[in-house]
């Protein structure tokens, strides 16, 4: 226990003391804060923009010419749009001449109450004058039709807005509400395991690469070494991600009034105590399980550059769990979902996802938890054996079965 | 304190690399562990350090099975290596703590040995920024942490310049004088000869000789003379002497021909023959083999 503490403190200090880790964490914290505060920040800017746009909406008056079909129509649009004398042209030819002289950007020639011709000299990508005028003409036409029936636009809006008075009661979990949060948390676990799993295996491979391992295993036993290293890598990952989560939560709380009610419901809807406990239990134990796997595989290679190929098999298993958890989104209580939530290597992501989207039977939750704890204990023991075996196995190419056979072979001790 | 290596056998797969070796090491007497590359020195040391587990035999301290974790052991492995990207002092403190020191004791011993090797200015530098020679000194310093009772050094002189080698020799002499148990392996016979009271020679996993160095020299020099004649090459001299004394055995040597008299020819008979022949003596004396001679002779016998 004493040596575990020494190894843990030393490795944690090394890990968190790295300038790259500190800078990366700071950048990610700022990004998380900015991303979750975005709705509020965006609202601040967009309200100003809308005001400016309202004040300066001259789309249908500035550099626009009109030829109307008759005087009544001319008067109606002059009142509606606030047209000036300069907007009016007596005939189509006059309008075309003005367009050719670049005095106008666009010209409209009305041929009836609801028909008009649009003439450009040059049309830009963003020029949509005719669609704006079309909406106006349509609205005028709709108003006229409603008026014939003795109705107003407000009357029509009230008719269309009608909805029956219903109440929905969800006895278990509401997938709609919980899916967003479950996905966000799943991606976080995914990143945590991949980043810190690789950090752990690289840390151990580097000790072999630099030949420091022989000094370590002659200074203390392999058990405190591997447990201390895995604990330090695990805690540094949780500290780093914890800071990012706190920043994201802070940003969300700061801006929650600016989130749409639906998004707010999707994010907050799942935050029940039981869900948080389920998520924390399976994520943390599963994370530790993978760190032991990465540590064991890191000690089977002699060079840091071989870590990637040695750990590929674990990454494959882990990614399979990730794929399984996306499958769970559609059928949270299907046979595949149940099976993968019981297998510890996939339960890390599948069980929290299931718990977020559906009601998981208690026996399945207990069985998955027990299996997870047993597997963590088994792989902790195995990783100590593999680490001890791998500590002096330099250069020899090997495979996982050979490693296990050699690592588990009983060793003879000197007898009195 | 007496360390006894008793019948240690080690196999890697089907290949047996140590064939039931036996020797003893006394505290207060430095023991040089000699052998060619691949002779089994590092394997023996790694079995002793419990890095490898021997297949047969064992290690005993004062007659009791050795539990290496019960002693303060300073170890310098053949494969040098520490944390390149960590600072010098923090990793020395770490190793000292892992070997049982408190934080305060670890700081004290780490500071002491860094200062002893005149590397104080590098305490807060990363190991990789030091020169190779200075990195080697830090490696040696780590083996001296916590005032070890047993010091096991695998090829400690490799990479040391003459000045640092002298500092290191003085330090080993200090540990020996304090009654510590010191074993070190080396190829460099001159260093072993200077420092060691006892030697053990291993070849192809077998112990060829072991014991007090001076006694070994005396035994191997018994009945041997060394002679060189002015103006005569050693080969012609050997032919002439063998013709005069058929029982004599001659051995070439860079300092003069060695004559093994087999106790059948006296020194006086040899000198009388030289006088009768009218030869002028360039060098004459009793032959005492150097450690290098012993090594070459013993290993050569096995070749």
């Amino acid at each position: 226990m004493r040596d575990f503490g020494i190894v843990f403190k030393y490795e944690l200090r090394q890990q968190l003391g790295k300038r790259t880790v500190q800078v990366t964490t700071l950048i990610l914290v700022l990004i998380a804060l900015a991303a979750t505060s975005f709705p509020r920040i965006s609202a601040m800017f967009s309200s100003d923009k809308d005001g400016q746009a309202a004040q300066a909406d001259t789309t249908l008056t500035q550099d626009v010419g009109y030829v109307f079909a008759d005087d009544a129509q001319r008067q109606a649009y002059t009142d509606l749009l606030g047209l000036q004398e300069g907007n009016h042209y007596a005939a189509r030819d006059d309008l075309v001449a003005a367009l050719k002289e670049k005095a106008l950007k666009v010209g409209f020639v009305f041929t009836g109450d609801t028909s008009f011709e649009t003439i450009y000299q040059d049309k830009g990508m963003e020029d949509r004058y005719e669609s704006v005028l079309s909406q106006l003409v349509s609205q005028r036409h709709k108003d006229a039709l409603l008026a014939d029936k003795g109705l107003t636009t407000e009357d029509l809006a009230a008719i269309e807005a009608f909805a029956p008075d219903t109440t929905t009661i969800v006895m278990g979990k509401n997938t709609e509400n919980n899916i967003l949060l479950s996905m966000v948390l799943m991606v976080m676990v995914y990143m945590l395991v991949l980043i810190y799993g690789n950090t752990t295996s690289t840390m151990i491979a580097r000790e072999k690469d630099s030949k420091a391992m022989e000094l370590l295993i002659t200074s203390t036993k392999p058990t405190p070494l591997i447990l201390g290293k895995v604990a330090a890598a695990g805690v540094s990952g949780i500290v780093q991600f914890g800071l990012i989560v706190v920043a994201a939560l802070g940003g969300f709380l700061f801006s929650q009034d600016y989130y749409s009610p639906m998004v707010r419901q999707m994010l907050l809807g799942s935050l029940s105590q039981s869900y948080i406990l389920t998520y924390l239990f399976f994520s943390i134990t599963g994370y530790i399980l993978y760190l032991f796997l990465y540590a064991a595989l890191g000690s089977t290679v002699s060079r840091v550059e071989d870590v990637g190929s040695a750990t590929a098999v674990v990454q494959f298993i882990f990614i399979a769990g990730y794929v399984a958890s996306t499958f769970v989104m559609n059928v949270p209580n299907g046979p595949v979902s149940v099976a993968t939530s019981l297998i510890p290597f996939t339960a890390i992501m599948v069980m929290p996802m299931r718990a977020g989207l559906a009601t998981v039977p208690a026996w399945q939750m207990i069985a998955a938890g027990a299996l997870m704890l047993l597997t963590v204990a088994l792989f902790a023991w195995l990783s100590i054996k593999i680490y001890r075996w791998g500590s002096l196995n330099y250069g020899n190419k090997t495979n996982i079965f050979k490693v296990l056979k050699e690592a588990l072979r009983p060793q003879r001790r000197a007898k009195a | 304190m007496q360390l006894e290596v008793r019948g240690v056998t080690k196999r890697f797969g089907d290949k047996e690399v140590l064939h039931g070796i036996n020797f003893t090491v006394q505290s207060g007497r430095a023991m040089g562990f000699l052998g060619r590359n691949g002779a089994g020195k590092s394997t023996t040391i790694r079995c002793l350090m419990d890095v490898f587990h021997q297949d047969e035999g064992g290690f005993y301290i004062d007659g009791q099975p050795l539990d290496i974790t019960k002693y303060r052991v300073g170890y310098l492995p053949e494969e040098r290596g520490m944390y390149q990207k960590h600072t010098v002092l923090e990793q020395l403190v770490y190793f000292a703590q892992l070997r049982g020191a408190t934080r305060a004791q670890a700081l004290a011993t780490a500071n002491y040995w860094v200062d002893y090797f005149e590397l104080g200015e590098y305490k807060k530098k990363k190991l990789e920024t030091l020169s190779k020679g200075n990195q080697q000194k830090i490696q040696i310093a780590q083996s001296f942490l916590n005032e070890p009772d047993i010091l096991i050094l695998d090829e400690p002189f490799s990479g040391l310049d003459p000045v640092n080698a002298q500092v290191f020799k003085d330090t080993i002499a200090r540990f020996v004088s304090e009654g510590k148990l010191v074993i070190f392996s080396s190829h460099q016979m001159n260093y072993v000869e200077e420092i060691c009271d006892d030697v053990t020679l291993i070849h192809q996993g077998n112990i060829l000789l072991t014991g007090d160095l001076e006694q070994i020299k005396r035994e191997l020099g018994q009945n041997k003379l060394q002679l060189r004649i002015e103006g005569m090459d050693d080969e012609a001299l050997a032919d002439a002497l063998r013709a005069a004394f058929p029982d004599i055995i001659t051995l070439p040597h860079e300092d003069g021909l060695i004559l093994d008299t087999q106790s059948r020819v006296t020194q006086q008979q040899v000198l009388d023959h030289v006088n009768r022949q009218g030869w002028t003596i360039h060098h004459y004396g009793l032959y005492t083999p150097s450690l290098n001679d012993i090594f070459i002779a013993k290993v050569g016998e096995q070749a």
Side-chain angles (χ1 to χ4, degrees):
Chain A
M1 195 61 199
R2 176 191 174 275
D3 285 1
F4 166 79
I6 292 167
V7 175
F8 172 72
K9 273 191 231 165
Y10 184 78
E11 294 291 354
L12 188 64
R13 207 165 43 237
Q14 294 299 330
Q15 194 62 35
L16 295 180
K18 282 182 196 162
R19 188 68 54 85
T20 49
V21 171
Q22 291 168 351
V23 172
T24 310
T25 307
L26 183 65
I27 291 169
L28 291 173
V29 161
L30 291 175
I31 289 172
L33 195 62
T36 49
S37 305
F38 182 74
R40 186 179 189 135
I41 296 164
S42 146
M44 282 158 62
F45 285 105
S46 62
S47 60
D48 286 354
K49 205 172 164 183
D50 289 348
Q52 285 166 9
Q55 283 172 9
D57 190 2
T58 55
T59 311
L60 293 177
T61 54
Q62 185 82 41
D63 301 331
V64 182
Y66 293 85
V67 177
F68 291 102
D70 54 48
D71 287 346
Q73 190 183 42
R74 174 187 165 118
Q75 190 57 49
Y77 278 95
T78 299
D79 295 344
L80 188 66
L81 295 172
L83 298 177
Q84 304 295 317
E85 196 51 41
N87 293 114
H88 294 289
Y89 288 84
R92 188 179 184 280
D93 290 345
D94 298 338
L95 186 74
V96 169
L99 282 164
K100 282 181 178 170
E101 288 166 11
K102 310 269 186 195
L104 297 174
K105 285 183 184 171
V106 65
F108 296 111
V109 180
F110 279 82
T111 52
D113 274 351
T114 57
S115 58
F116 64 88
E117 184 186 13
T118 308
I119 308 168
Y120 288 99
Q121 175 63 36
D122 297 306
K123 186 174 184 296
M125 290 280 287
E126 301 294 321
D127 291 342
R128 295 284 181 272
Y129 293 95
E130 67 272 33
S131 65
V132 177
L133 186 61
S134 285
Q135 282 176 22
L136 194 68
V137 172
S138 298
Q139 189 59 46
R140 266 176 55 80
H141 181 63
K142 196 190 280 182
D143 289 348
L145 291 175
L146 287 171
D148 285 348
K149 306 282 183 194
L151 294 170
T152 63
T153 308
E154 287 72 24
D155 294 333
L156 183 65
I159 292 164
E160 286 177 344
F162 173 78
D165 187 9
T166 65
T167 306
T168 305
I169 296 167
V170 180
M171 304 280 287
K173 304 283 170 61
N174 186 340
T175 304
E176 268 177 19
N177 285 354
N178 298 343
I179 200 157
L180 182 61
L181 183 68
S182 299
M183 281 179 67
V184 168
L185 293 176
M186 184 182 74
V187 169
M188 279 182 56
V189 172
Y190 180 80
M191 288 169 67
L192 187 67
V193 169
L194 285 186
I195 293 170
Y196 277 88
N198 273 309
T199 302
T200 308
S201 48
T202 304
M203 184 201 302
I204 288 170
R206 184 163 284 126
E207 276 173 3
K208 280 185 79 177
D209 205 355
S210 69
K211 310 282 191 289
M213 200 177 239
E214 191 167 347
L215 274 186
L216 288 169
I217 58 165
T218 53
S219 299
T220 186
K221 292 186 184 329
T223 305
L225 282 171
I226 196 98
L227 295 183
K229 286 170 198 300
V230 166
V235 168
S236 55
I238 288 169
V239 166
Q240 195 178 22
F241 272 72
L243 287 172
I244 295 164
V245 169
V246 167
L249 203 59
F252 174 71
L253 293 174
F254 171 67
S255 309
Q256 62 173 318
D257 294 341
Y258 294 83
Y259 280 80
S260 75
M262 190 184 77
V263 172
R264 209 160 55 224
Q265 180 62 33
M266 286 169 91
L267 286 170
L268 294 173
S270 306
L271 284 176
S272 67
Q273 196 179 11
S274 64
Y275 176 74
I276 292 170
L277 286 174
T278 305
Y279 175 77
L280 286 178
F281 176 81
F282 282 96
S283 302
I284 291 173
T285 51
Y287 171 51
I288 293 167
L289 172 63
Y290 273 99
L291 290 187
F292 276 122
L293 276 172
Y294 274 102
L297 291 170
S299 58
T300 64
V301 297
S302 309
R303 296 178 308 167
V304 174
E305 51 268 38
D306 293 337
V307 165
S309 56
T311 56
V313 63
V314 182
Q315 292 192 16
F316 179 77
I317 295 169
F318 183 64
I319 290 167
Y322 180 79
V323 172
S325 65
T326 56
F327 180 79
V328 169
M329 287 180 204
N330 300 323
V331 202
N333 276 330
V336 175
S337 303
V338 173
T340 50
S341 67
L342 290 172
I343 299 167
F345 301 106
T346 47
I348 176 177
M349 284 192 289
V350 176
M351 187 54 97
M353 180 63 88
R354 276 190 72 201
L357 303 182
T359 302
V360 179
W363 75 265
Q364 288 179 11
M365 193 68 84
I366 292 165
L371 274 173
M372 178 65 93
L373 289 176
L374 282 173
T375 312
V376 169
L378 174 69
F379 276 85
W381 176 76
L382 268 179
S383 69
I384 291 164
K385 294 279 177 192
I386 293 171
Y387 177 80
R388 181 65 182 83
W389 171 85
S391 58
L392 280 168
N393 190 53
Y394 288 98
N396 302 326
K397 283 260 177 191
T398 187
N399 61 58
I400 191 71
F401 300 106
K402 207 170 153 188
V403 169
L404 284 172
K405 187 181 160 198
E406 289 292 323
L408 297 177
R409 203 170 59 166
Q411 301 288 348
R412 185 194 168 278
R413 297 278 172 179
K415 291 192 176 66
Chain B
M1 196 158 56
Q2 177 176 282
L3 171 70
E4 188 182 352
V5 180
R6 199 185 290 171
V8 169
T9 298
K10 176 66 191 170
R11 297 180 199 94
F12 291 111
D14 298 331
K15 187 175 166 62
E16 188 170 289
V17 293
L18 296 178
H19 312 294
I21 60 169
N22 296 285
F23 61 91
T24 56
V25 190
Q26 299 282 345
S27 57
R29 292 175 66 81
M31 203 281 278
F33 193 37
L34 311 174
R36 295 176 66 183
N37 293 331
K41 300 188 297 294
S42 293
T43 303
T44 307
I45 286 175
R46 282 174 168 166
C47 287
L48 173 59
M49 288 303 299
D50 205 24
V51 174
F52 293 154
H53 304 294
Q54 67 274 14
D55 296 296
E56 288 164 31
F59 298 89
Y60 298 83
I61 284 271
D62 296 332
Q64 297 300 311
L66 169 68
D67 179 353
I68 202 81
T69 60
K70 297 269 167 38
Y71 295 86
R72 283 181 298 184
V73 180
Y75 176 46
L76 181 67
E78 183 193 23
E79 300 264 20
R80 306 284 194 266
M82 290 173 75
Y83 294 109
Q84 290 293 315
K85 296 200 178 292
H86 299 186
T87 62
V88 167
L89 192 67
E90 68 178 346
Q91 59 182 308
L92 288 177
V93 169
Y94 177 51
F95 284 118
Q97 281 188 286
L98 285 180
R99 291 173 203 162
T102 63
R103 173 99 186 144
Q105 289 168 337
L107 269 167
T109 189
N111 274 303
Y112 173 81
W113 285 108
V114 173
D115 292 337
Y116 181 89
F117 283 108
E118 298 175 340
L119 295 171
E121 64 188 292
Y122 301 111
K123 282 177 187 172
K124 292 191 174 171
K125 301 272 184 203
K126 286 183 180 174
L127 187 64
E128 66 184 357
T129 62
L130 274 64
S131 68
K132 278 207 160 184
N134 284 340
Q135 287 193 28
Q136 171 78 340
K137 287 202 275 183
I138 295 296
Q139 286 276 348
I140 291 169
Q142 71 73 28
S143 66
F144 294 157
L145 294 169
N146 296 355
E147 291 293 309
D149 302 314
I150 300 172
L151 203 49
I152 298 167
L153 310 164
D154 203 350
E155 299 287 352
F157 291 102
S158 71
L160 283 186
D161 62 45
V163 175
N164 286 320
Q166 187 57 48
V167 173
F168 183 56
K169 277 189 286 183
D170 294 344
T171 316
I172 290 183
R174 190 181 106 186
F175 275 102
V176 171
S177 69
E178 288 170 358
K180 305 295 170 72
L181 199 147
V182 179
I183 306 172
F184 72 89
S185 74
S186 184
H187 290 104
Q188 286 146 299
M189 300 299 159
N190 53 332
Y191 289 130
V192 177
E193 202 158 11
E194 277 181 60
I195 299 169
C196 291
D197 305 295
D198 298 320
V199 292
T200 295
L201 178 54
I202 187 169
H203 183 65
Q204 294 176 349
N206 292 300
I207 300 296
L208 295 186
L209 64 82
T210 182
D212 180 290
L213 179 57
E214 287 308 315
Q215 194 179 336
I216 289 170
K217 282 184 175 181
R218 274 199 303 276
E219 283 171 7
L220 294 176
Q222 205 170 18
N223 301 317
K224 289 193 179 79
L225 305 171
Q226 197 160 26
L227 178 65
R228 178 159 284 164
I229 300 296
E230 289 279 359
M232 190 176 201
D233 67 48
D234 288 351
E235 204 173 325
L237 177 62
D239 291 342
L241 287 172
R242 278 200 301 268
F245 308 105
D247 292 332
I248 212 164
I249 295 170
T250 59
L251 301 163
H253 191 279
E254 58 185 355
D255 297 329
L257 190 69
I258 297 167
L259 313 175
D260 186 349
T261 62
Q262 306 275 300
S263 303
R264 290 172 191 159
V265 179
T266 64
Q267 283 189 57
Q268 194 56 51
Q269 285 175 300
V270 173
L271 286 173
D272 288 347
H273 182 75
V274 168
N275 285 333
R276 277 197 302 275
Q277 298 300 316
W279 296 338
T280 305
I281 295 173
H282 176 271
H283 170 77
Y284 175 79
L286 295 174
Y287 169 66
T288 304
S290 68
L291 187 56
N292 199 46
D293 295 338
I294 295 168
F295 184 88
I296 291 168
K298 285 289 172 185
V299 172
E301 280 173 17
Q302 301 294 316

